[in-house]
Amino acid sequence: MLPWLDPQPIRFPPVESALDEPNGLLAAGGGLSPEWLLSAYRRGIFPWYAEDQPILWWSPDPRMVLFPAEIRIRRSLAKRLRNAGFSVTFDRAFDSVIGACAAARDDDGTWIDDAMHEAYCRLHELGHAHSVEVWEGESLVGGLYGLSLGGVFFGESMFSRRPDASKIALVHLARHLETHDYTMIDCQMHTPHLASLGARDIARETFIDYLERSVDRVHPAPIWPRETP
């Protein structure tokens, strides 16, 4: 039987108790306050649910991650990075990015409902959640958002309104994180799209080990600029 989490105290079951099918489903209930979300991510757990479901918490095995130095830039993407005429910023339009990510999935159903949108905007206000924006002139054409804790960036969602715009956001993110010695980008679930960019599956046990060594790292100075060089 799936454990039901009370609003208080904040307490998750061990990730090893997550179901094999569906892969990684750990518990239901709890809340979306900053305290709940930060506690979850520190343990390798994230929320993901449909609009007609309670909050569901996941910790899949294996876990897809991207090590920043391993970002794969194919020739066509490298050309677009040089010649597409896009500009890239960090944290300039977080609310717009998360709204665009939700809208991009409306046809298939989205887990980014109003409660999730509000919860991650609150994390952004507190300095934990960040966005990467890709602009064509003054138009937002791509981007991504996620959480930064210590030396780990937990990717949540991305969108594109132009070919490769979300890939360009990810490349800029990976380069930025590599410069600041981040351990990895958590991609959560396996997708061929992310695998094509260099992400790979690792065992959940290995992922948790990385978290324990990296998530409490303190950076000596703020690392989230408004614009890339």
Side-chain angles (χ1 to χ4, degrees), residues 88-191:
V88 178
T89 59
F90 291 93
D91 284 352
R92 180 173 153 188
F94 185 91
D95 184 77
S96 296
V97 168
I98 193 170
C101 288
R105 287 155 178 78
D106 276 350
D107 290 342
D108 300 320
T110 179
W111 71 96
I112 309 173
D113 62 8
D114 290 344
M116 289 279 273
H117 190 133
E118 181 179 347
Y120 285 86
C121 284
R122 179 59 179 149
L123 287 176
H124 176 64
E125 293 169 359
L126 294 172
H128 299 296
H130 300 278
S131 58
V132 184
E133 301 91 16
V134 180
W135 304 88
E136 186 177 59
E138 296 299 315
S139 297
L140 182 65
V141 297
L144 60 82
Y145 76 96
L147 271 69
S148 173
L149 293 176
V152 181
F153 188 90
F154 300 86
E156 274 298 314
S157 189
M158 58 176 62
F159 79 99
S160 286
R161 293 171 178 161
R162 298 289 186 274
D164 291 338
S166 64
K167 294 180 182 179
I168 288 171
L170 184 61
V171 169
H172 279 268
L173 174 67
R175 288 173 173 173
H176 181 66
L177 297 180
E178 183 180 8
T179 298
H180 294 280
D181 298 320
Y182 269 60
T183 302
M184 62 184 173
I185 301 170
D186 173 29
C187 302
Q188 299 180 348
M189 302 281 198
H190 182 98
T191 69

Side-chain angles (χ1 to χ4, degrees), residues 70-81:
E70 296 182 4
I71 185 78
R72 184 179 300 145
I73 303 173
R74 300 189 186 278
R75 184 177 300 175
S76 60
L77 179 56
K79 182 178 179 180
R80 198 175 294 276
L81 280 162

Side-chain angles (χ1 to χ4, degrees), residues 14-36:
V15 295
E16 295 80 9
S17 66
L19 300 178
D20 294 329
E21 184 58 43
N23 180 15
L25 181 57
L26 179 68
L32 293 175
S33 69
E35 294 77 15
W36 267 99

